[in-house]
Amino acid sequence: MSASKRPRVGRSLKPFKRPWLWAGLWMLAIAIVVAGSLMPAKALPSVNVSDKLQHFAAYAVLSAGAVQLFVRRLSWGFVCVLLVLLGIGLEYMQAQMAVGRMLDRNDALANTIGVLIGLATAFTPLRDALLHFDRRL
């Protein structure tokens, strides 16, 4: 198959030297957030940081990660909507599971604000930080 006919690795991804590495790490971060959200409360490590701040930070990092990975604004918006829905869905799942966790609308709000702040990094010079880092390796 000629180089021009070879399928490209995601039209929405930025032109990384290692696209699978960065996309894989981002997906791993999502999996960690999902697992942490569904673990029993007793199994989670105790940290002296507000629960809402943890939610905010986790979703801000995931959303900023999408900005780092994807070149298209449409992709950023799509991922951010999915992250907000993920946060809401996980809150509902916590309420349905008998693991000592409960639905907290303020957690979902903190998740959503985190997503928006992460998305806001698209409008800063940091937007391509991972791409520059990838090219230096």
Side-chain angles (χ1 to χ4, degrees), residues 1 5 19 25 27 34 36-37 52 78 83 85-86 95 109-110 118 124 133:
M1 190 181 275
K5 295 187 180 198
L25 288 173
M27 288 185 275
V34 170
S37 296
K52 305 305 176 252
F78 183 70
L83 287 173
L85 292 174
L86 175 68
L109 178 61
T124 72
F133 179 75

Side-chain angles (χ1 to χ4, degrees), residues 75-94:
S75 298
W76 300 339
F78 183 70
V79 168
C80 288
V81 168
L82 290 178
L83 287 173
V84 168
L85 292 174
L86 175 68
I88 292 168
L90 288 172
E91 287 301 318
Y92 278 101
M93 288 179 73
Q94 286 176 355

Side-chain angles (χ1 to χ4, degrees), residues 47-116:
V47 292
N48 292 331
V49 177
S50 163
D51 162 66
K52 305 305 176 252
L53 184 58
Q54 292 174 35
H55 281 266
F56 168 82
Y59 282 82
V61 167
L62 294 178
S63 179
V67 169
Q68 292 299 312
L69 284 175
F70 300 108
V71 71
R72 296 171 31 184
R73 290 181 182 196
L74 182 62
S75 298
W76 300 339
F78 183 70
V79 168
C80 288
V81 168
L82 290 178
L83 287 173
V84 168
L85 292 174
L86 175 68
I88 292 168
L90 288 172
E91 287 301 318
Y92 278 101
M93 288 179 73
Q94 286 176 355
Q96 299 301 314
M97 298 173 67
V99 292
R101 311 278 299 261
M102 56 187 240
L103 183 143
D104 185 345
R105 287 178 174 82
N106 290 327
D107 286 349
L109 178 61
N111 297 344
T112 301
I113 294 170
V115 167
L116 293 174

